[in-house]
Amino acid sequence: DGGITQSPKYLFRKEGQNVTLSCEQNLNHDAMYWYRQDPGQGLRLIYYSQIVNDFQKGDIAEGYSVSREKKESFPLTVTSAQKNPTAFYLCASSILAGAETQYFGPGTRLLVL
Amino acid sequence: DQQVKQNSPSLSVQEGRISILNCDYTNSMFDYFLWYKKYPAEGPTFLISISSIKDKNEDGRFTVFLNKSAKHLSLHIVPSQPGDSAVYFCAASAGGNTDKLIFGTGTRLQVFP
């Protein structure tokens, strides 16, 4: 059963704390993406990776970091520098960089305590 | 600066009737457009796309129309079914770079019996 998994479903962050959101895909896709969704707004691109060991900043990369050490995995760290981290985070992948369709995971909701 | 706009936050349609969801864009460099459907607490799923060289693309009950001069696209669903009730996002990309999708804010469609 191929797909994209994100964990956890809900995540709570204390002030000043870094947290890492997991994204794994077993679709053998080259490209992976992280988006943020806020109420009343569209999805905004945080970071994307076209291939292993490479990634680029999206439109709102400040306060976030990523790594792409394995093809299957693209974790996102929300650092303490991100002043407004409460949002719904979506991970996606596509078969190749620039492919027509991105496939999305179920999302992680991050809340600040 | 919202480059992709969905001005109707919600739409209510009776089952069997046509649903028309609209999307406007401002960037004349956009050349590829997609529609995604999203259920609550799930990631978006790809629905249909259109390239700027076309003005219509059809897939079963779903048809997307593109009016380049008006910078407007629309998604028609006919006949509408209760299972179509979801949030619909339009997205656009420029220069063939579908790694950087710009999403609209979404329209919530409710199909009632």
Side-chain angles (χ1 to χ4, degrees), chain B residues 1-7 22-35 50-55 64-74 90-94 102-105:
Chain B
D1 179 23
Q2 194 75 27
Q3 296 185 69
V4 178
K5 300 176 187 177
Q6 293 177 257
N7 292 318
N22 294 305
C23 180
D24 297 294
Y25 61 95
T26 57
N27 189 341
S28 58
M29 299 300 291
F30 287 150
D31 55 9
Y32 194 74
F33 305 88
L34 307 91
W35 284 93
I50 188 166
S51 163
S52 60
I53 61 173
K54 291 184 167 185
D55 53 20
V64 56
F65 295 92
L66 176 62
N67 182 335
K68 289 185 288 294
S69 60
K71 295 193 179 66
H72 176 84
L73 65 155
S74 61
C90 68
S93 67
I102 307 297
F103 283 82
T105 53

Side-chain angles (χ1 to χ4, degrees), chain B:
Chain B
D1 179 23
Q2 194 75 27
Q3 296 185 69
V4 178
K5 300 176 187 177
Q6 293 177 257
N7 292 318
S8 298
S10 63
L11 177 67
S12 192
V13 172
Q14 189 172 29
E15 182 178 5
R17 302 268 189 161
I18 185 170
S19 296
I20 300 176
L21 295 95
N22 294 305
C23 180
D24 297 294
Y25 61 95
T26 57
N27 189 341
S28 58
M29 299 300 291
F30 287 150
D31 55 9
Y32 194 74
F33 305 88
L34 307 91
W35 284 93
Y36 283 84
K37 174 180 178 180
K38 184 182 181 300
Y39 292 116
E42 292 184 13
T45 54
F46 170 74
L47 201 54
I48 193 169
S49 63
I50 188 166
S51 163
S52 60
I53 61 173
K54 291 184 167 185
D55 53 20
K56 177 182 173 182
N57 189 24
E58 195 170 350
D59 184 2
R61 295 186 298 115
F62 303 91
T63 303
V64 56
F65 295 92
L66 176 62
N67 182 335
K68 289 185 288 294
S69 60
K71 295 193 179 66
H72 176 84
L73 65 155
S74 61
L75 173 68
H76 292 210
I77 306 173
V78 55
S80 301
Q81 300 173 354
D84 296 330
S85 298
V87 177
Y88 290 79
F89 291 97
C90 68
S93 67
N97 184 7
T98 52
D99 284 327
K100 300 193 80 174
L101 293 178
I102 307 297
F103 283 82
T105 53
T107 295
R108 182 178 302 278
L109 173 66
Q110 184 175 10
V111 180
F112 60 92

